[in-house]
């Protein structure tokens, strides 16, 4: 998390830094800050909360300097206040940092003994003092090299120096960092998105590398301090214009955009004329893969769980699913015939990236399902399947979830056909239904009033549960995650059949419980589980699909019916009311829907 921007120019930079920081708020919005160099001094201004607060500060508006660094923070060490906000500066050096310095306490103790005085509770401040200390004996490049060696943990750094009016240093270990090139000015950013409004010419730093950015050129160094040459990439220079339109929140807009997400995905990956799947360049032969391991975090992990049901149903592959932060530290048995699929909206999630890196180091086959195609995960995977859902701004992932499960469903069909597990005729029927899906999602999106009403009950409850079986179980987890992340209501997702093994003890009179029971192979079993919670006083909101058969069950508090389709695709439709439930609950509570407390859109620390 956290976002970095640096500009070395011959024009004043503060206004451009502030504008770039606004774009970077998806990485953190606890506090923000800027430091520039003018008249031989480092000026630092920081504020708690959003970049707007920083911008309103009259000192920022009059800030001088043609070289500067800025930062938006997601707190790791020390509470989110203006003292802990970045940049952190000594008289000689100013630093912005993404990541975590794991040996900061040891380093701090050593520096305090040498007379350094600390102002903040952050791990970052040790970097400032270390560089200051090392500069006493070394030139800039050597002092940076020495400092980086002393740091343990992960970082992306932007550094300016009081005595260097034409120099920004950038350094990377673990956290992504990019350099951008402009006319008579050059830039540093935590990703290319941060730089896109200024340039489309980008160089990405690799782990361990650092760079020295001057106005007219940039030099790159290896971890050992040797000069290296790096490629300049030219990205598409189309900057996506993205605003809320007539919607109150990005999330509301993104929920409504889901039929377009599905249409785009279907157009890209389905050859409607020949009923084929347009994934032709898979770099491995069909007999080189016998198992698939799907890895992600949060909502992306739920996409992986969802995909497991499809891969098992439609292919003969062994399927496993893992949470990236667990996978990366376990003793995995890497097997040559496994395909590792990394699912991520941002493509920058630190744990997912580390899991990919681990697989690459073990020579495994890697595939990325991502939204941001310039991201680290996309760049470093062997094979990439973009989800094409456009920028997702709301911290709560909505259209990216539907985009991810669409691509994973299509991939399961493709591998099913390639391996001879799925016949052409069955594929054609499945594709026919898939092409009807965007329309069905559009119709399901019209259910609104009932969800608004039931959200009042959820808002008054101490906690809630989301239950489902089979294909609906990952959707229950996703519904619970959405509700807790947006409305801060405790919500637990559970397999409906597992309730009697413990969680049933939580059910008390009036507790709202969402039961996902579409008319699929699991329907009757789920309805029985629903009765078990009703019998113990739960207020059940049943979400099912439209059918000629009435639901034969009593004492259901409310029922919402989504459209009907084949059972593979029902999860797409069940997701919609759950997203809306979370949205309306947060709306009624008056919470910040697009930027919920304590969270960030892109989780770039582990
Ligand atoms: O960018 P990613 O898809 O890798 O992000 C993974 C999670 O951080 C993300 O899905 C998170 O759980 C969402 N905020 C949930 O709505």
């Amino acid at each position: 998390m956290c976002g970095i921007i640096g500009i070395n120019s011959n024009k004043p930079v503060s206004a451009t830094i502030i504008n770039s920081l606004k774009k970077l708020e998806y990485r953190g919005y606890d506090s923000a800050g800027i430091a520039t160099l003018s008249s031989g001094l480092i000026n630092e201004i920081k504020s708690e909360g959003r970049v707007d607060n920083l911008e309103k500060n009259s000192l920022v508006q009059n800030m001088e300097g043609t070289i500067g660094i800025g930062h938006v923070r997601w707190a790791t060490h020390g509470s989110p206040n203006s003292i802990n906000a970045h940049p952190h500066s000594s008289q000689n050096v100013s630093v912005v940092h993404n990541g975590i310095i794991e040996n900061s306490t040891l380093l701090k103790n050593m520096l305090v003994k040498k007379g350094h005085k600390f102002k903040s509770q952050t791990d970052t401040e040790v970097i400032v003092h270390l560089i200051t200390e090392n500069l006493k004996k070394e030139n800039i490049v050597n002092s940076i090299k020495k400092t980086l060696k002393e740091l343990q943990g992960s970082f992306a750094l932007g550094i300016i120096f009081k005595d260097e009016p034409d120099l920004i240093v950038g350094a990377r270990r673990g956290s992504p960092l990019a350099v951008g090139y402009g006319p008579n000015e050059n830039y540093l950013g935590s990703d290319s998105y941060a730089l896109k409004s200024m340039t489309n010419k980008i160089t990405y730093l690799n782990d361990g590398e650092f760079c020295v950015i001057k106005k007219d050129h940039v030099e790159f160094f290896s971890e050992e301090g040797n000069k290296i040459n790096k490629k300049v990439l030219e990205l598409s220079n189309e900057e996506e214009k993205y605003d809320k339109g007539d919607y109150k929140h990005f999330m509301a807009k993104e929920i409504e955009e889901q039929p377009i997400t599905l249409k785009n995905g279907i157009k890209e990956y389905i050859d409607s004329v020949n009923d084929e799947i347009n994934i032709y360049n898979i770099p491995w032969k069909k007999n080189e893969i016998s198992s698939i391991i799907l890895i992600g975090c949060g909502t992306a992990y739920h996409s992986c769980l969802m995909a497991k049901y499809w891969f098992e149903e439609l292919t003969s592959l062994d399927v496993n699913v893992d949470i990236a932060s667990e996978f990366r530290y376990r003793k995995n048995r890497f097997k040559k015939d496994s395909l590792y699929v990394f699912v991520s909206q941002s493509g920058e999630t630190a744990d997912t990236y580390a899991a990919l890196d681990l697989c690459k180091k073990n020579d495994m086959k890697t595939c990325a399902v991502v939204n941001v195609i310039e991201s680290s995960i996309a760049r470093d995977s062997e094979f990439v399947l973009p989800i094409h859902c456009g920028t997702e701004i709301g911290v709560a992932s909505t259209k990216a979830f539907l985009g991810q499960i669409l691509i994973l469903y299509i991939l399961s069909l493709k591998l099913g056909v390639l391996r001879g597990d799925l016949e052409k005729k069955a594929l054609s029927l499945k594709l026919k239904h898939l092409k009807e899906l965007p329309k069905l999602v559009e119709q399901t999106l019209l259910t609104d009033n009932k969800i608004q009403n039931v959200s009042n009950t959820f808002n008054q409850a101490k906690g809630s549960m989301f239950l489902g079986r089979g294909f609906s179980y990952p959707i229950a987890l996703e519904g619970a995650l959405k509700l807790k992340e947006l409305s801060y209501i405790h919500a637990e997702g559970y397999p409906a059949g597992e309730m009697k093994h413990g969680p049933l003890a939580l059910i008390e009179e009036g507790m709202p419980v969402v039961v996902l029971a579409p008319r699929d192979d699991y329907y009757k079993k789920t309805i029985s589980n629903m009765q078990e919670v009703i019998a113990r006083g739960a207020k059940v909101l049943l979400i099912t699909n439209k059918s000629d058969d009435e639901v034969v069950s009593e004492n259901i508090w409310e029922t919402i019916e989504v459209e009907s389709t084949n059972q593979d695709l029902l999860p797409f439709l069940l997701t919609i009311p759950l997203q809306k439930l979370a949205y309306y609950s947060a709306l009624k509570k008056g919470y910040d829907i697009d930027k919920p407390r304590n969270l960030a859109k892109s989780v770039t620390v582990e």
Side-chain angles (χ1 to χ4, degrees), residues 132-148:
T132 310
E133 189 63 28
N134 290 332
L135 272 173
K136 287 180 187 164
K137 293 181 211 132
E138 310 277 2
N139 64 19
I140 300 259
V141 169
N142 286 340
S143 71
I144 293 299
K145 198 176 89 183
K146 190 156 188 279
T147 303
L148 300 184

Side-chain angles (χ1 to χ4, degrees), residues 297-300 343-347 349 395-397 404 481-482 485 603:
C297 300
T299 288
V343 182
S344 174
Q345 186 284 129
S346 61
T349 301
V395 164
S397 194
Q404 287 162 356
L481 175 62
K482 287 287 98 91
E485 128 175 89
V603 183

Side-chain angles (χ1 to χ4, degrees), residues 145-198:
K145 198 176 89 183
K146 190 156 188 279
T147 303
L148 300 184
K149 271 206 181 121
E150 290 169 290
L151 300 176
Q152 286 168 14
S154 64
F155 50 79
L157 301 173
I159 311 162
I160 55 172
F161 303 82
K162 172 177 145 296
D163 297 326
E164 297 288 342
D166 180 22
L167 188 150
I168 300 178
V169 166
R172 171 189 173 169
R173 189 193 299 155
S175 306
L177 199 61
V179 166
Y181 306 87
N184 305 318
E185 55 184 29
N186 290 314
Y187 322 101
L188 183 70
S190 32
D191 54 30
S192 52
Y193 180 70
L195 303 176
K196 239 179 168 176
S197 59
M198 299 180 282

Side-chain angles (χ1 to χ4, degrees), residues 443-470:
Q443 284 159 356
T444 302
L445 280 165
L446 299 174
T447 323
D448 219 72
N449 287 348
K450 215 177 225 175
I451 304 177
Q452 290 203 41
N453 291 340
V454 297
S455 67
N456 289 328
T457 300
F458 281 82
N459 280 354
Q460 282 150 25
K462 272 196 301 198
S464 60
M465 297 206 71
F466 289 66
L467 309 180
R469 292 180 86 119

Side-chain angles (χ1 to χ4, degrees), residues 198-352:
M198 299 180 282
T199 183
N200 67 333
K201 293 193 178 57
I202 302 283
T203 297
Y204 294 103
L205 270 78
N206 289 333
D207 254 6
E209 293 174 353
F210 62 99
C211 62
V212 169
I213 301 173
K214 307 236 173 166
K215 283 180 193 57
D216 58 357
H217 74 284
V218 183
E219 287 174 341
F220 293 93
F221 297 87
S222 68
E223 206 161 1
E224 296 73 37
N226 301 322
K227 269 198 195 167
I228 48 173
N229 292 322
K230 304 243 344 148
K231 267 196 207 144
V232 179
L233 306 173
E234 213 153 304
L235 307 181
S236 117
N237 50 8
E238 272 172 45
E239 220 208 325
E240 199 182 343
K241 295 267 173 299
Y242 206 73
D243 58 41
K244 285 196 274 243
D246 292 336
Y247 293 90
K248 263 191 171 163
H249 302 99
F250 281 109
M251 183 189 179
K253 183 168 184 250
E254 286 157 4
I255 289 175
E256 297 298 326
E257 279 173 353
Q258 292 180 110
I260 306 171
T261 300
L262 297 177
K263 277 182 203 157
N264 288 348
I266 291 168
K267 197 164 137 216
E268 172 85 12
Y269 290 101
I270 307 295
D271 171 350
S272 292
V273 180
N274 301 307
D275 268 355
E276 277 176 10
I277 294 169
N278 288 333
I279 305 179
Y280 293 116
N281 45 352
I282 300 178
W284 316 284
K285 298 198 182 78
K286 62 180 181 196
N287 54 2
E288 286 178 332
I289 301 170
S290 69
S291 74
I292 185 159
I293 295 106
L294 300 137
I295 298 173
C297 300
T299 288
Y301 168 67
H302 295 157
S303 300
C304 298
L305 278 179
M306 187 65 250
K308 180 176 166 74
Y309 287 85
W310 289 323
F311 277 103
E312 286 182 344
E313 189 90 1
L314 301 167
T315 77
S316 52
L317 292 162
D318 286 340
V319 192
N320 274 303
V321 176
D322 228 314
I323 291 180
S325 55
E326 290 297 312
F327 175 85
R328 64 182 288 192
Y329 291 116
R330 269 213 323 274
K331 292 218 178 320
N332 297 290
R333 307 283 180 268
F334 289 108
K335 295 202 180 117
K336 279 277 164 238
D337 58 354
S338 297
L339 169 63
Y340 289 82
V341 179
F342 300 89
V343 182
S344 174
Q345 186 284 129
S346 61
E348 298 294 350
T349 301
D351 284 317
T352 313

